Amino acid sequence: MREKDFDIKHPKKKFHKTERVPPKGYDNANDFFEDMYMDEDMIWMGQNTNHLHDDTIANAMVEAIKMNTYCRYPAPEGFSELKQLVLEDLGLEDLEVLLTSGATESLYLCMQALLEPEDNVILSDPGYFIIGDFANRFAGEVRYVPIYYEENDYKLTPDLLRENMDENTRMVILIDPLNPLGSSYTEDELKEFAEIAKENDLYLLHDVTYKDFAREHFLVQNFAPDQTLTIYSFSKIFGMAGLRIGGVISSKPIIDAIKNAVVNDLGVNIISQYGAIAGLKSKPEWFEQMREICFENQRLIHEMIEPIEGVFLPVYPSDANMMVIDLSGAGINPKEMSNYLVEKKLFTREGEYTSEEFGDRYLRISFSIPTEQVKVFCEEFPKAVEALRK
């Protein structure tokens, strides 16, 4: 990597935040989400969370609470056992793991520690908005590359990267599999990204939050170890979204630089760490069955969507636990569809949450929920289309 002063000495930053329109009937998004959360009858398909776990992880946390472990501060950089288990889960060795309060904090720390005002960052549209919001605070420019096209398989490609980068490009965001579409990268594609990064002195931020739902998944870390930051989350496959634990994995020099940006030097939630250890240790017992449920759930959705005129799945099969349903051919506004389905106790998300350019085309749904709940969606969605079709 090019030499860099890793002291964090940025000038005053701009704090851009993408504006969101609150859901119908609400003054702000927080009230809406609180209502969704409190409604015990709501089928949860709007936040890519996983509702398929047994009590293994929960029991480990309950036991930790009974032992009053929360009365003491944890080790500031987390349990060594947990960090080693993360490396083993990824099949990586001789790298550093920085545990954080959710993968979102990892994303922020990476941006704050490694970007400068003269840099630009490349990421895809659609994508996960908050990454761009973070990058915009520390880099001079964020370049959103439109990828909602069949010809590039609904993902950022090496060719698209070459077309959009320049000498000031410092970081490339690879969300893999991609939220919201579920598209993912082949091994050859990642090798090509790695070569571009090495040739042009770029960071590759590889967010693998949804990797365990993919049919096949590869790590760019293996091809560009000195350029890659791997973002890891316990929110999805481990079903721990509300517990806020994740991390970033990279070489020691990069992790040492990121540590300079850490605010929470008193450690990650101790109860979450016990749950994460239990999740990683028990993973072989539940992993394949959970994946099979998700594969079956999206098959049912695909089967339901196929005969509906003007509606289609851009990416199928999805390699994440979510997919998007394109409604544009039916003339249906995704926000209207989302509002309609909430009345049927089905919480989904309109596309504007993940794309300003393409968000008026699709509805995003997640399917890591019990199959019986997916069947309710499959019964109600065709009715909704006919009620809203223009």
Side-chain angles (χ1 to χ4, degrees):
M1 301 298 293
R2 72 190 185 200
E3 291 185 6
K4 172 179 172 62
D5 177 6
F6 283 121
D7 291 332
I8 309 305
K9 297 177 180 177
H10 294 301
K12 185 178 180 181
K13 301 294 179 181
K14 54 189 180 298
F15 290 89
H16 169 270
K17 187 71 174 178
T18 303
E19 292 297 324
R20 313 280 196 272
V21 178
K24 182 180 179 181
Y26 291 89
D27 293 330
N28 59 72
N30 190 77
D31 289 349
F32 169 75
F33 285 121
E34 184 171 354
D35 276 1
M36 297 301 100
Y37 183 90
M38 293 297 182
D39 190 334
E40 295 182 0
D41 296 324
M42 189 67 65
I43 295 177
W44 205 265
M45 303 178 73
Q47 290 189 322
N48 307 337
T49 47
N50 183 3
H51 303 257
L52 297 173
H53 269 279
D54 62 15
D55 293 332
T56 302
I57 294 173
N59 288 341
M61 293 190 290
V62 169
E63 288 304 311
I65 291 171
K66 288 180 178 178
M67 294 169 61
N68 289 338
T69 57
Y70 56 87
C71 295
R72 306 187 298 275
Y73 287 120
E77 296 183 10
F79 287 136
S80 298
E81 179 185 17
L82 176 53
K83 292 188 284 186
Q84 183 58 40
L85 286 168
V86 168
L87 288 178
E88 291 173 4
D89 186 53
L90 292 168
L92 297 173
E93 297 178 352
D94 302 323
L95 292 170
E96 297 287 311
V97 179
L98 177 63
L99 296 176
T100 58
S101 298
T104 301
E105 184 182 30
S106 290
L107 293 165
Y108 186 91
L109 293 175
C110 289
M111 304 294 178
Q112 183 176 4
L114 302 176
L115 295 177
E116 299 288 356
E118 66 269 19
D119 298 333
N120 66 59
V121 175
I122 292 179
L123 66 165
S124 63
D125 179 8
Y128 184 35
F129 266 153
I130 201 167
I131 299 180
D133 290 342
F134 290 164
N136 193 65
R137 298 183 183 193
F138 304 109
E141 181 185 3
V142 178
R143 298 183 176 183
Y144 289 93
V145 179
I147 55 95
Y148 193 72
Y149 303 107
E150 186 176 4
E151 54 264 35
N152 49 264
D153 294 326
Y154 297 96
K155 59 186 173 183
L156 183 69
T157 64
D159 285 342
L160 284 173
L161 172 56
R162 290 190 183 94
E163 292 171 13
N164 288 276
M165 63 184 286
D166 62 22
E167 67 275 8
N168 292 321
T169 300
R170 181 62 167 157
M171 183 178 288
V172 180
I173 312 298
L174 302 175
I175 309 172
D176 175 29
L178 177 64
N179 176 8
L181 299 172
S183 44
S184 62
Y185 293 103
T186 66
E187 186 174 25
D188 286 342
E189 287 170 333
L190 290 177
K191 286 180 178 178
E192 194 169 350
F193 280 123
E195 288 306 310
I196 296 172
K198 288 185 283 189
E199 291 169 3
N200 295 276
D201 193 23
L202 309 177
Y203 286 117
L204 295 173
L205 192 151
H206 194 196
D207 185 337
V208 300
T209 293
Y210 300 98
K211 72 178 180 66
D212 289 306
F213 298 99
R215 294 161 295 169
E216 192 174 31
H217 191 270
F218 306 95
L219 295 175
V220 74
Q221 183 82 56
N222 290 318
F223 312 125
D226 295 326
Q227 271 76 25
T228 302
L229 303 100
T230 302
I231 304 298
Y232 189 95
S233 175
F234 286 92
S235 293
K236 308 307 178 184
I237 197 69
F238 298 99
M240 298 175 65
L243 289 156
R244 311 314 304 130
I245 181 167
V248 54
I249 299 91
S250 193
S251 63
K252 188 177 187 303
I254 293 177
I255 293 298
D256 285 346
I258 296 171
K259 286 178 182 178
N260 289 334
V262 167
V263 173
N264 178 22
D265 64 349
L266 295 176
V268 174
N269 185 298
I270 192 70
I271 304 303
S272 298
Q273 290 191 61
Y274 280 108
I277 289 171
L280 283 163
K281 285 185 172 180
S282 65
K283 190 175 179 181
E285 301 168 15
W286 47 259
F287 180 60
E288 288 302 332
Q289 181 182 11
M290 188 174 294
R291 281 162 52 86
E292 288 303 319
I293 293 172
C294 288
F295 292 152
E296 172 63 9
N297 286 351
Q298 68 165 308
R299 186 194 67 78
L300 291 173
I301 295 167
H302 176 256
E303 186 178 77
M304 175 268 293
I305 292 291
E306 276 288 277
I308 302 178
E309 185 179 353
V311 176
F312 72 100
L313 301 176
V315 177
Y316 179 80
S318 167
D319 279 320
N321 66 333
M322 96 292 286
M323 57 173 54
V324 305
I325 304 174
D326 193 300
L327 304 169
S328 58
I332 297 174
N333 182 296
K335 184 179 284 291
E336 292 181 9
M337 174 62 79
S338 178
N339 290 336
Y340 184 98
L341 291 173
V342 162
E343 297 300 317
K344 305 298 181 182
K345 298 296 184 181
L346 290 158
F347 171 38
T348 61
R349 297 304 301 276
E350 62 275 8
E352 70 175 26
Y353 182 67
T354 55
S355 175
E356 292 184 352
E357 182 169 349
F358 306 104
D360 61 349
R361 297 180 61 92
Y362 60 79
L363 183 80
R364 189 192 69 182
I365 60 169
S366 58
F367 45 78
S368 47
I369 58 176
T371 300
E372 289 306 310
Q373 294 184 355
V374 170
K375 289 180 178 178
V376 173
F377 175 78
C378 290
E379 180 179 342
E380 292 294 337
F381 183 80
K383 299 176 186 176
V385 171
E386 294 313 309
L388 298 173
R389 186 188 294 278
K390 296 175 183 176

